[in-house]
Amino acid sequence: MAAFVPSPFRFSFSFRTLTSIGVKRTSRSKYRFERLKRKCSTSSMNLLTLNKRGLVENIFPDQRIPDLQKMLQTPQTLYCGFDPTADSLHIGNLLSLMVLLHGQRAGHNPIVVLGGATVLIGDPSGKTKERPLLEADDVEKNIIALMENVQRVTDNHSKFIYKGSKPLIDFRYLNNADWYKNINMVSFLSSFGRYFRVGEMITKHSVKSRLNSKEGITCTEFMYQIFQAYDWYHLFQKYNCTIQVGGNDQTGNISAGFDLIDKITKKHVFGLLIPLLLAPGGEKLGKSSGNSLWLDPKKSSPFEFYQYFFNLPDTEVEKYLKIFTFLPLTEIESIMEKQNRSPEQRVAQKKLAEQMTLLVHGESGIDSALRCTEVLFGDAIPALTAMSYTELQQLFRSAPSTEIIYDPEITVYDLCHRIKCFTKTEDIERIIKSGGVYINQQRITEPNHVLRDGQHILPNHITLVRVGKKNFYVVRWHLR
């Protein structure tokens, strides 16, 4: 299939999915933010207090924070955007959603914009080379997948986590392809291109770093900041959107939108800049780094999601509790006191894993994660009995799965032979007798031991075979 390319004179999109989707921080600006934040009202609508949680790292422009403080005394509209470059969001993207959820709790109006148009241009921020051009079908599939991710998180938040008495304002979901599809390109550049100065555009960190690289930067990527700026202008005009949320690596794009709105309307808007999420080793978490923890359960199962946070180092867990949960800071302090007294009990990690899995995967995700944990580290048989075949396949992604018609006389030896546990037939009996084979996590040492329905074949018609410590095989039985 040919790559999807816009017409040279008119942006033409045919998505059916939705009808509506760096400047470096100085120590002086950080000091100004901290000083003014301490003067802020304690009103529940004041998002500047998110700095105490480490969730908002900076404000753009930092010279006008008092104006933002006053603005936040009344309901505002804030947004963040996600280009559908993959079929799932990851936990780095979740930080922006956390700010929108805090805004929703405070009575503000949250908007999520999916970049059905801008994904075809490609944001150069944080990239060393141009993104591959996506097919139109892939963009559409990614938009559907990202919408599911976001709606699942917002639904879980309102259903399982939010305990306030006031009803939450609904999220608005938009696709920027909807407002570009009928825009004439010459008219667009004539109307809005005149507000951008090339001298200013090339000073943006995302552009400057690429200009100095071997790869360079394409004209398409160079223009990206104009389109993201127009997105904000469009949202400001239609929804009075005064706040954009984005990572520190988006400062250049956010400042472009600020400048455009300021030049055309003379109105003040603001950017809330969130920290970039780093792995415990210090590298950036994300698609490009290849270390993503995905929000889609098909890419990172609820068990993998839970275990990631449960195994977080002690040095990171307090920070993650603050930025990824809605627990009061006083409660987090209490949790950390218990953690510091008995770090081996991993009280903080367990609370973090539970809250994160509940937010992203809901109660069913928590149940699945705990069942999987029991299979591997606890009382396996009850946990295995409660699991579905799909859950087992997710838990043991690399394990072979085999479907077998049940024979009431089948032995452990026969099963190992049928599912090809061993490359050499002569190894089967020897390893079984030496205690190297487990049925449903129970050691079996007799090769001729007959497998019984209800004992070795669980009520859900599943058997888990393990050879050694890490070689698993999932068997699904068809009973006659």
Side-chain angles (χ1 to χ4, degrees):
M1 182 182 293
F4 179 77
V5 182
S7 161
F9 294 105
R10 182 175 294 277
F11 297 100
S12 177
F13 299 89
S14 58
F15 297 110
R16 303 182 299 275
T17 52
L18 299 169
T19 54
S20 54
I21 104 162
V23 179
K24 292 185 178 180
R25 171 171 52 83
T26 64
S27 57
R28 181 180 178 185
S29 67
K30 183 178 180 181
Y31 168 75
R32 182 184 293 113
F33 180 30
E34 291 289 337
R35 178 168 54 83
L36 289 171
K37 186 251 309 168
R38 288 195 293 270
K39 295 181 180 180
C40 287
S41 163
T42 58
S43 164
S44 63
M45 302 191 79
N46 189 3
L47 293 177
L48 296 185
T49 58
L50 293 180
N51 174 262
K52 295 178 181 179
R53 305 185 74 98
L55 193 50
V56 172
E57 194 168 63
N58 206 0
I59 303 292
F60 185 90
D62 66 313
Q63 300 91 342
R64 292 181 177 175
I65 294 178
D67 295 330
L68 176 59
Q69 175 187 344
K70 184 182 297 184
M71 181 188 294
L72 287 171
Q73 294 175 6
T74 58
Q76 300 298 311
T77 298
L78 65 163
Y79 97 98
C80 68
F82 303 104
D83 280 351
T85 55
D87 57 0
S88 176
L89 297 175
H90 53 77
I91 59 168
N93 304 131
L94 188 58
L95 276 182
S96 295
L97 280 179
M98 292 298 295
V99 175
L100 292 192
L101 288 168
H102 277 285
Q104 182 191 41
R105 285 169 161 243
H108 301 296
N109 302 282
I111 295 177
V112 170
V113 174
L114 298 179
T118 45
V119 70
L120 300 171
I121 298 169
D123 184 1
S125 302
K127 299 292 177 289
T128 58
K129 60 183 179 180
E130 186 178 18
R131 295 177 184 270
L133 184 61
L134 294 176
E135 308 286 354
D137 286 348
D138 291 332
V139 171
E140 185 170 357
K141 290 175 184 176
N142 290 350
I143 288 175
I144 293 172
L146 266 56
M147 277 293 299
E148 188 280 330
N149 291 175
V150 176
Q151 289 183 320
R152 175 161 36 84
V153 170
T154 58
D155 288 348
N156 288 338
H157 167 258
S158 61
K159 186 176 181 180
F160 302 119
I161 296 177
Y162 178 66
K163 304 301 181 184
S165 57
K166 295 182 179 179
L168 294 171
I169 297 171
D170 290 338
F171 268 67
R172 187 186 297 273
Y173 304 98
L174 305 173
N175 179 351
N176 64 14
D178 289 330
W179 54 82
Y180 286 115
K181 61 185 177 182
N182 294 318
I183 294 179
N184 179 279
M185 185 170 65
V186 173
S187 175
F188 176 81
L189 290 175
S190 175
S191 300
F192 298 99
R194 64 183 66 253
Y195 292 105
F196 295 85
R197 294 292 180 266
V198 172
E200 294 177 0
M201 293 173 70
I202 62 176
T203 63
K204 309 292 186 186
H205 178 71
S206 59
V207 173
K208 191 175 182 180
S209 61
R210 287 285 296 280
L211 284 174
N212 296 328
S213 71
K214 181 180 178 180
E215 290 285 338
I217 188 170
T218 66
C219 177
T220 310
E221 295 173 289
F222 182 68
M223 296 279 284
Y224 184 90
Q225 57 186 287
I226 295 179
F227 289 91
Q228 185 163 327
Y230 180 79
D231 284 350
W232 195 359
Y233 170 75
H234 172 85
L235 296 173
F236 179 78
Q237 290 294 91
K238 189 165 184 178
Y239 303 105
N240 195 29
C241 180
T242 53
I243 299 171
Q244 182 178 172
V245 178
N248 268 327
D249 60 346
Q250 290 293 310
T251 307
N253 292 328
I254 289 175
S255 66
F258 167 87
D259 289 339
L260 179 63
I261 293 170
D262 181 61
K263 289 174 182 177
I264 297 176
T265 70
K266 307 301 181 185
K267 299 291 180 64
H268 294 172
V269 293
F270 296 89
L272 299 183
L273 303 175
I274 62 175
L276 295 179
L277 193 63
L278 302 178
E283 66 275 11
K284 179 183 174 182
L285 279 172
K287 299 186 293 291
S288 303
S289 305
N291 56 2
S292 298
L293 185 67
W294 303 99
L295 304 192
D296 190 317
K298 295 188 293 293
K299 301 188 68 145
S300 295
S301 71
F303 170 75
E304 292 169 326
F305 200 83
Y306 182 95
Q307 286 295 316
Y308 178 89
F309 295 102
F310 185 77
N311 290 304
L312 209 64
D314 292 345
T315 53
E316 298 289 314
V317 67
E318 183 176 8
K319 178 181 75 175
Y320 275 60
L321 279 169
K322 289 179 178 179
I323 63 177
F324 277 127
T325 78
F326 298 92
L327 299 174
L329 293 178
T330 52
E331 183 175 345
I332 292 176
E333 290 177 7
S334 176
I335 291 171
M336 292 309 302
E337 288 175 3
K338 295 177 182 177
Q339 172 77 11
N340 294 331
R341 285 197 299 268
S342 304
E344 73 282 357
Q345 295 184 10
R346 306 187 74 78
V347 174
Q349 283 92 340
K350 183 178 180 181
K351 189 67 172 181
L352 174 65
E354 290 174 350
Q355 290 291 303
M356 286 294 293
T357 309
L358 185 63
L359 176 65
V360 174
H361 297 294
E363 285 186 344
S364 62
I366 281 280
D367 292 342
S368 175
L370 295 179
R371 282 195 297 270
C372 292
T373 302
E374 281 295 303
V375 168
L376 292 178
F377 309 112
D379 192 355
I381 291 181
L384 278 170
T385 301
M387 292 183 74
S388 68
Y389 185 58
T390 301
E391 279 182 309
L392 270 175
Q393 287 181 313
Q394 288 182 339
L395 175 58
F396 302 104
R397 289 180 186 274
S398 58
S401 296
T402 308
E403 298 195 12
I404 298 178
I405 297 175
Y406 175 62
D407 178 348
E409 300 303 320
I410 190 170
T411 65
V412 176
Y413 180 98
D414 296 332
L415 178 62
C416 290
H417 186 268
R418 291 276 297 276
I419 64 177
K420 298 181 173 61
C421 293
F422 302 93
T423 54
K424 297 180 180 179
T425 305
E426 56 267 28
D427 289 339
I428 300 177
E429 184 171 349
R430 176 180 58 82
I431 293 178
I432 293 174
K433 287 183 175 181
S434 65
V437 173
Y438 298 76
I439 303 295
N440 298 330
Q441 299 290 64
Q442 306 296 311
R443 180 182 278 127
I444 302 292
T445 58
E446 176 51 57
N448 293 323
H449 190 92
V450 176
L451 301 180
R452 297 302 181 195
D453 184 17
Q455 180 183 359
H456 307 103
I457 300 167
L458 300 176
N460 54 4
H461 301 167
I462 287 172
T463 297
L464 181 67
V465 179
R466 173 161 66 92
V467 178
K469 292 183 177 180
K470 297 182 179 179
N471 298 310
F472 289 92
Y473 302 82
V474 179
V475 180
R476 187 179 189 182
W477 299 91
H478 294 279
L479 303 182
R480 294 176 179 177

